[in-house]
Amino acid sequence: MTKDPYSLSPEEFYERGDSYFLPHISIDCVIFGFHDNQLKVLLLEWKDSLRWSLPGGFILKDEDIDQAATTILLKRTGLEKIHLQQFHTFGDPNRDRKKHGINPPKGSNPKSWLMDRFVTIGYWALVEHSKVTPTPDSFSRSCSWREISEVPELILDHNLIIEKALESLRLQLNDFPVGFNLLPAKFTMPELQSLYETILDEKLDRRNFQKKMLSLGILTRLNERKQGGAHKAPFFYKFDKKKYQRALKQGLSFGI
Amino acid sequence: MTKDPYSLSPEEFYERGDSYFLPHISIDCVIFGFHDNQLKVLLLEWKDSLRWSLPGGFILKDEDIDQAATTILLKRTGLEKIHLQQFHTFGDPNRDRKKHGINPPKGSNPKSWLMDRFVTIGYWALVEHSKVTPTPDSFSRSCSWREISEVPELILDHNLIIEKALESLRLQLNDFPVGFNLLPAKFTMPELQSLYETILDEKLDRRNFQKKMLSLGILTRLNERKQGGAHKAPFFYKFDKKKYQRALKQGLSFGI
DNA sequence: TTATCATTGTGTAAGATTAACACAATAAAA
DNA sequence: TTTTATTGTGTTAATCTTACACAATGATAA
């Protein structure tokens, strides 16, 4: 009972994880990144190599659920201080590994707490792709980015969880400029527009988009242009947190 | 184990409710009603008569969480086929009756599963005040409406849960005409406006409000006026579900 | 070296939506 | 019969959104 619960082997975890973690409750994280003009999610490939899943985990008996989600994000990406948005709790009674034909590793307890029905709490996070170090957990052999439109079949209802997360993200995008979290500190207007277009899955007018974004008063244009493209070099911008705080107080509309 | 879990006495429930229900997980419902131009919530008064709480309950081991919430709503109000909106899951590790000085009934097991830490899933519902038959559960001596601004101190974090529910309701109100669920089938424009003003907690222009509502194309004006008021008699309207379905397809904005 | 081309930066006008306000009609009470 | 507060129905001005025009730029092709 005094051992660090995160250093348990998979077998120990199956056998007696429930002495550390709440039974029947899990957390799954949809971690969004943006790279090469594509929206991506972080996925785990299981050691049996046939299954894919979302990064997830469990809640220590005396741990806050947001904290548990933060720990999952940290362990899979190396990132701290990232906003995690709880968006839905999934409680289909068939969320049960047994019912989905998932067996415990050979030699471990087939009556494990992990084989029970689980209610899972969904969180999403927006992270800067380049800052992430994808790190598998002890059940997985790899952790990697997958383009949102090319996500394979995942275990349980994880595909549905991604759908719901994306829906929630789109709604949030209208109320807060969350998209900026996906970009590096310096970005160009075409990059920002491409991000919005990808998340919302619709084309936007370049000129109106720029007007709207600048009118929010939360961007600072740098005296620097992005070189290397085949055409006119666009300016770099940065998201200005101080201006953002000021703008929030005036009750801005971030809808596109 | 074969007994109906909902017919257990409070003592039996404390003692062995966990052979029917998932441990550590509960559901709490914020049931909104509208009466006398006031927004109200349904509360339970405990048998010890010192505490108030939200209507809540637990999830059968093989039951869907939405279904569990539906059952709670039915048992407290007598209403079926009401939309329940899941809005947030509350997972503070101090959500624990012991830590809040709540004791089990005399004679029942002090180590009951019910005294453990619980993660609770919050749902809200909008119901027609006049159709509700407030019904206490076996732990409560009364079930009654309370005006939203006069809610007493509730157990655990139930006051916070109401706050979050109201926040979620306000956001939804901009995306869907949910408010109609709070009114009887026939209502006047001033009544509808008063409802919106109460939920949003702001005054609205009478003429612009009417224009906006009618422009949605989801209301039918009846050839009947509400008599009895001290002044000019306003028309009755009804919410037209067919028109609403048609309007949805065209992607309306319900924002006020 | 110069012309070409796709892209960026900035602006303007029409259309739609929202906000502010005016006045006649009406039902009950004075 | 008059008064009063409220309802029904506009109109106008202000704001926001949408659609589109054109010059400037930086790499590439001629």
Side-chain angles (χ1 to χ4, degrees), chain A residues 68-122:
Chain A
T70 301
T71 302
I72 294 168
L73 180 67
L74 171 62
K75 296 208 174 250
R76 294 306 132 246
T77 66
L79 295 178
E80 284 180 294
K81 294 181 185 169
I82 300 288
H83 173 68
L84 272 150
Q85 181 67 45
Q86 186 199 305
F87 64 95
H88 193 76
T89 293
F90 298 83
D92 185 316
N94 298 313
R95 298 194 80 271
D96 177 319
R97 298 186 180 208
K98 273 196 304 293
K99 291 189 181 168
H100 281 78
I102 304 172
N103 297 317
K106 278 167 200 163
S108 54
N109 183 357
K111 295 223 167 168
S112 163
W113 67 295
L114 261 186
M115 302 307 287
D116 287 335
R117 176 233 178 136
F118 271 79
V119 170
T120 199
I121 308 167

Side-chain angles (χ1 to χ4, degrees), chain B residues 105-163:
Chain B
K106 280 167 198 161
S108 53
N109 184 358
K111 296 222 167 168
S112 164
W113 67 295
L114 262 186
M115 302 307 287
D116 287 336
R117 175 237 178 133
F118 271 80
V119 170
T120 201
I121 308 167
Y123 284 82
W124 56 251
L126 304 181
V127 300
E128 193 185 324
H129 186 276
S130 67
K131 291 206 172 160
V132 171
T133 310
T135 309
D137 64 21
S138 64
F139 297 95
S140 309
R141 61 175 195 166
S142 77
C143 177
S144 57
W145 291 106
R146 285 295 275 271
E147 217 232 299
I148 196 89
S149 60
E150 288 169 11
V151 169
E153 191 188 334
L154 307 177
I155 61 159
L156 299 172
D157 54 358
H158 286 198
N159 293 91
L160 172 67
I161 293 175
I162 292 179
E163 264 178 56

Side-chain angles (χ1 to χ4, degrees), chain A residues 130-183:
Chain A
S130 68
K131 292 204 171 161
V132 171
T133 311
T135 310
D137 63 21
S138 64
F139 297 95
S140 309
R141 62 174 196 167
S142 77
C143 177
S144 57
W145 291 106
R146 284 295 274 272
E147 218 232 301
I148 196 84
S149 59
E150 288 170 11
V151 169
E153 192 187 334
L154 307 177
I155 60 157
L156 299 173
D157 55 357
H158 285 198
N159 292 89
L160 172 66
I161 293 175
I162 292 180
E163 265 178 53
K164 279 267 188 185
L166 196 53
E167 207 174 281
S168 161
L169 170 58
R170 282 180 183 146
L171 282 175
Q172 287 268 321
L173 201 60
N174 269 331
D175 298 328
F176 300 96
V178 286
F180 292 95
N181 299 326
L182 288 163
L183 293 173

Side-chain angles (χ1 to χ4, degrees), chain A residues 180 187-190 192 196 206-222 235-240 243 247 252-256:
Chain A
F180 292 95
F187 52 87
T188 66
M189 198 54 77
L192 181 60
Y196 269 77
R206 181 176 67 81
R207 294 151 288 188
N208 294 334
F209 179 82
Q210 162 138 340
K211 222 178 304 164
K212 177 79 189 175
M213 279 298 151
L214 293 181
S215 76
L216 296 178
I218 58 178
L219 296 182
T220 304
R221 191 171 87 176
L222 307 179
F235 281 106
F236 276 119
Y237 289 84
K238 68 171 186 182
F239 177 72
D240 189 322
K243 286 184 181 173
L252 274 192
S253 157
F254 301 98
I256 292 294

